[in-house]
Structures are given as C-alpha cells and as structure tokens.
Amino acid sequence: MGDGRRGSIWSIPEGQGRGSRPAYSRAQITGAAIRIADADGLDAASMRRIAADLGTGAMSLYRYVPSRDDLIELMIDHVLLEADVPERPTGDWRADLTLIAENTRRMWLRHPWLAGLQRPRATFGPNRMRLLEFAFGALDVGFPIDEIFILLDMLNGYVERVVRGEIEWAREMRQSGMTPQRWMTESAPYVRELLGTGRYPMFERIVMDARLPHMSAEEQFRYGLDRVLDCIAAARP
C-alpha cells in the first residue's frame, strides 16, 4: 500500500501531512523493523508486525512510511551507519578500504536479512551518501572516476560474495547441523578415492597444500581481501 508516489523516501520531509503532531518517527519505525528482521527475517517485518511492536495500528504507519520499498530503503540506510567510517579519508587508501570491508562484513553478519535481498539496492540516504563519499574519496589518488567506480565494485563484490557464503553456512548449520568440519570429515572417503585415480593433480594440490580451507572464516576473509587490495594497488596510475 502507498500513495502512488515514485522516487525516494528521502525527498519527503519527515512529519509531512495534516493532522496532529506525529506520534512516531521514521527512526522508531525503522528500528522496530530491523529488530523484527534480525530475529525472524525480512518477510516478518510487515507493517502489521511493526505496528504491533509499537502498539498502534498498521494503517497509521503509512503516514510516516508510504510503502514497503520505502521501509526497506530506510532499513538499509540505517544499518549502513554500522560501517562506522570517519568524516573523511585518512590518506591511507588501503587502511580506509580495509575498514569499510571489515565493518561491512560485520554489518551483514549482524543483519543476515540483507542477504535475502537480490542485491542491496542503491539508495541515497544520509548514511549511504557518507559511505560513498568516504570510499570514493579514499581512492581519489589519481584514478579516473570510472576506474574508482569499477575498483570499488570489485571490492564490494568480494565482500558480498564471501559474507553471503558465511550467512548460508550459518543457516545450513542451524537447519541440519552440517558444519564445514563435519562436511570435510564426511567427504574424506570419496576425496581419497578421487586422489587415488591420479587424474586430478590440481585437486590434489588443493587437498594436500591449500591452507585456506583450514583458516577461520575471518582469516579467510582477510586473506582474500588482501589479494583484492593488491589488485587495486597494481592498478594505480
């Protein structure tokens, strides 16, 4: 349900409309939605459920948040505050991008409903804009603007791919008890069969020599992140 408006929720001043002084704020509604989504998933954060959490009727909330899309936009921007970046880049682009990547990973793990979105949509809320300015500013060290765009997309793609995998593993463990360690143990007999054929030399190197599968999730993330940052360093003019 909504008022037929297209565009961004950020273009509508909060508290707009007729009637008495607003009883709620977008921040209250957004906070309730995030609490519900964190506990029970994004689909559970309906206007009816949010209204019950706040002790009001669902219809009254549309005065503050006209549509479901607006609600999700507010939720995404609110959790982006957890990226926790300084007001401006430090001058050390690698440290700045590491901060963004590590804080973004932690944000996704705290709010796994983000992985339920096909891809978190580009929004223009205040926290998104602050993060954008910081990230692009960190790479404003001689790169053309289009190059910065591609390099940050590469970084964000790495973070998103890894954290989606972590969230999926966590879901699998909750539902079936299958941990990475248990999976490796149960797969071991067939892996030995494959190695015994001598037909898969690269797979043998993975099994015998690779350190990555034995690292913690955080160590794996940081190892891959360092490789991505190395690529960015190599692309510098």
Side-chain angles (χ1 to χ4, degrees), residues 84-163:
D84 194 25
V85 297
E87 287 295 329
R88 56 185 59 84
T90 65
D92 183 341
W93 68 266
R94 191 172 184 119
D96 288 343
L97 296 190
T98 297
L99 176 70
I100 292 171
E102 292 183 339
N103 286 359
T104 298
R105 173 177 174 265
R106 284 190 281 267
M107 176 191 74
W108 275 64
L109 293 177
R110 280 192 294 264
H111 308 290
W113 51 267
L114 286 166
L117 300 171
Q118 187 64 30
R119 184 180 177 92
R121 65 196 73 185
T123 63
F124 300 103
N127 295 322
R128 170 75 72 177
M129 297 307 297
R130 179 180 177 183
L131 183 58
L132 181 151
E133 288 293 322
F134 181 83
F136 273 75
L139 278 185
D140 190 17
V141 289
F143 289 112
I145 191 67
D146 289 332
E147 190 95 351
I148 295 175
F149 193 100
I150 292 298
L151 293 172
L152 289 177
D153 192 56
M154 179 176 70
L155 175 67
N156 291 334
Y158 169 74
V159 174
E160 180 178 329
R161 180 188 63 79
V162 171
V163 78

